[in-house]
Amino acid sequence: DPKLAVRLAIDGPGSSKGNLNGSFQRIPREFTERSDRVDADGTVTARDLVDKSSERNWEIGGDWDFAVGPGRLKLIGLNREIHRPYSQSVVTTFADGGAPVGDRYAETADSSERIARAEYSWAMLGGDWQLAGEAAFNALDNVARVATLDATGRFVDEPFPEGTGGVKEDRYDASLSFSRPLSKTLTLQLIAGAERSTLRQTGAPSGNGDGPLSRSFFRPKGSLSLAWKASKTLDVSFKLKRSVGQLS
């Protein structure tokens, strides 16, 4: 699975600095299998299976960190896209000369992820503060086809409307964090935040006559953590957290 990647570190004017990352990868796959079979009734068949995929993915991202007022602002961006064509065909041939039978499934899936994030950090009240905001836009589009082998040995597409469709997600996130040492060996960190996401079906009706489906979610989240440096060889930590998982 060869992958081409590049990372550039940028030393900007003053104390500003940045990073730029990019990568491209192609992952070809092909699997073939031929088997000769004898059924319980004595029928002899040959089964040929061909499974192919050729994923291509790329991403570009970067960040820029610079001084603003009493603190520093970091701007972060990421764009990732994946193109994944796939097909599998199975053909069974009969030794007695009967007409072969077979079927084929093929799909092309395109997914993308775009993220924009800002983090502002500063020192106040004896601790370190950070205010962060993020917007993420995810999408998946899928086109699938099924086909059967006809009497002439050609694959003929069958109606398969439920194999085409997609989903999009718009997600917004905000958080405020505070951390400070309580003593030479004890450190406290507090994080409070929330996110709102909207999921929308695209490219196909919902199947119940109401049009494409759409749902929205609002989720508070945050954490409280304590880190204790008990000795040179022992660290003890405690964390209470309400996390939010992301959909696949």
Side-chain angles (χ1 to χ4, degrees), residues 135-146:
F137 308 97
N138 304 303
L140 170 66
D141 293 302
N142 196 82
V143 178
R145 302 180 304 278
V146 293

Side-chain angles (χ1 to χ4, degrees), residues 11-161:
D11 230 348
S15 63
S16 62
K17 55 186 178 181
N19 297 283
L20 183 64
N21 309 286
S23 67
F24 175 81
Q25 185 176 33
R26 183 173 180 267
I27 308 176
R29 291 278 188 273
E30 182 170 350
F31 171 79
T32 61
E33 176 193 275
R34 180 179 177 86
S35 56
D36 297 317
R37 305 181 176 200
V38 181
D39 293 342
D41 62 0
T43 302
V44 180
T45 60
R47 181 178 182 270
D48 291 282
L49 180 147
V50 179
D51 188 292
K52 294 181 179 180
S53 65
S54 181
E55 177 182 319
R56 296 189 294 275
N57 63 74
W58 67 272
E59 72 172 62
I60 184 170
D63 61 79
W64 188 254
D65 183 286
F66 53 97
V68 176
R72 297 189 67 84
L73 177 64
K74 177 182 279 190
L75 303 177
I76 305 167
L78 173 72
N79 187 85
R80 179 188 295 119
E81 297 196 10
I82 301 176
H83 176 70
R84 187 183 294 114
Y86 168 80
S87 67
Q88 183 186 86
S89 62
V90 179
V91 177
T92 301
T93 307
F94 298 90
D96 61 6
V101 296
D103 55 69
R104 181 180 65 192
Y105 174 82
E107 72 171 21
T108 300
D110 291 286
S111 60
S112 64
E113 179 181 34
R114 296 176 175 87
I115 298 175
R117 181 176 176 86
E119 299 174 350
Y120 184 66
S121 305
W122 74 100
M124 186 176 67
L125 301 177
D128 296 319
W129 296 76
Q130 184 183 86
L131 179 64
E134 180 177 301
F137 308 97
N138 304 303
L140 170 66
D141 293 302
N142 196 82
V143 178
R145 302 180 304 278
V146 293
T148 55
L149 201 67
D150 67 6
T152 65
R154 295 185 305 110
F155 281 106
V156 178
D157 286 337
E158 301 284 346
F160 190 40

